[in-house]
Amino acid sequence: AIAPLVTLVQSGTAGQKEYAADALRNLACNDENEVLIVQAGAIAPLVTLVQSGTDGQKEYAADALANLAINAENEVLIVQAGAIAPLVTLVQSGTDGQKEQAAGTLGNLAGNDENKVLIAQAGAIAPLVTLVQSGTAGQKEHAAGALRNLAFKNAENQVLIAQAGAIAPLVTLVQSGTDGQKENAAGALRNLAFKNAENQVLIVQAGAIAPLVTLVQSGTDGQKEQAAGALRNLADNNAENQISIAQAGG
């Protein structure tokens, strides 16, 4: 069924394109299907829908690309097809559903080192921070996950994300977010603090230690791992943070 679905995404009616994109989104949850969908030529027409489709087409196409982008080779192909700019546009000014899916797609694409740079250059960081601050529950989780990946072992993005005002709303999510928000926000703080002395200070000033310690004590397995990593990075070569973490029971 994959080839005819791709044909509909390319050249079907408006309704056919939307439903075909939705079908590919669901099929792309399977690892083997991810490869087959890309081999059938789906990436370019999905990117076209993200750029210029109807509202429903944009949302389903963005989500289909998110599922395809879990594959490392696909991360590269999707960016080569020109996906970053229209995805950033959706994060900035799309519908609620489009913002959530586009943030998730950018987060998956940011698993690639080169893509991290391109996504930041395309202006994604500021609207992602806005979603972390004031988005819907799903937007907050996906945007925090995107910032987490953008900050991972990228010193320039660590600075840009902090400058964009991400730290305080990330700490808020660690304190009072949903389970997924807490894990992604703790992971983002972990990566922002990695070998960045200024961010280490800013994160502690924002009140991160106590909620991170709480996650280490009573969070889910994923939350515990990210929070412990964040505390480790906050304590690295910072004597004052080491004392503060110990006093907080970490």
Side-chain angles (χ1 to χ4, degrees):
I2 290 173
L5 287 170
V6 172
T7 300
L8 289 185
V9 170
Q10 288 171 314
S11 55
T13 64
Q16 289 168 353
K17 286 180 178 179
E18 181 173 336
Y19 292 133
D22 191 18
L24 291 176
R25 169 182 75 154
N26 292 331
L27 290 170
C29 294
N30 173 287
D31 292 345
E32 193 174 331
N33 286 348
E34 282 175 26
V35 177
L36 296 173
I37 289 168
V38 171
Q39 287 175 344
I43 289 177
L46 286 170
V47 171
T48 299
L49 289 190
V50 171
Q51 287 171 316
S52 55
T54 64
D55 280 346
Q57 291 168 2
K58 286 179 178 178
E59 182 174 337
Y60 290 142
D63 200 18
L65 291 175
N67 292 341
L68 292 173
I70 292 168
N71 175 297
E73 191 174 334
N74 291 350
E75 288 173 13
V76 176
L77 296 173
I78 290 167
V79 170
Q80 288 175 343
I84 289 176
L87 287 168
V88 172
T89 299
L90 290 189
V91 170
Q92 290 170 317
S93 56
T95 65
D96 278 346
Q98 290 167 1
K99 286 179 179 178
E100 179 176 338
Q101 302 306 340
T105 309
L106 290 173
N108 289 349
L109 292 173
N112 173 286
D113 289 344
E114 192 175 334
N115 289 353
K116 289 189 221 300
V117 177
L118 296 172
I119 291 167
Q121 289 174 342
I125 289 174
L128 287 169
V129 172
T130 299
L131 292 188
V132 170
Q133 289 171 315
S134 55
T136 64
Q139 290 168 3
K140 286 179 178 178
E141 180 175 341
H142 285 310
L147 294 176
R148 166 182 168 177
N149 287 348
L150 287 168
F152 182 66
K153 294 186 177 177
N154 186 301
E156 190 172 343
N157 284 356
Q158 286 176 281
V159 174
L160 293 172
I161 291 167
Q163 288 176 340
I167 290 173
L170 286 169
V171 172
T172 299
L173 290 189
V174 171
Q175 288 171 314
S176 55
T178 63
D179 278 347
Q181 290 168 2
K182 285 179 178 178
E183 182 173 337
N184 281 345
L189 293 175
R190 171 185 183 172
N191 293 341
L192 289 171
F194 181 71
K195 298 190 184 307
N196 183 303
E198 191 172 343
N199 284 355
Q200 286 177 317
V201 174
L202 294 172
I203 290 167
V204 171
Q205 287 176 342
I209 290 177
L212 287 170
V213 170
T214 299
L215 287 191
V216 170
Q217 290 170 326
S218 56
T220 65
D221 285 345
Q223 290 167 1
K224 285 178 178 178
E225 180 179 340
Q226 297 306 324
L231 292 173
R232 178 194 63 191
N233 289 346
L234 289 170
D236 186 37
N237 285 323
N238 186 307
E240 194 172 334
N241 285 359
Q242 290 167 8
I243 293 168
S244 298
I245 291 167
Q247 289 174 339

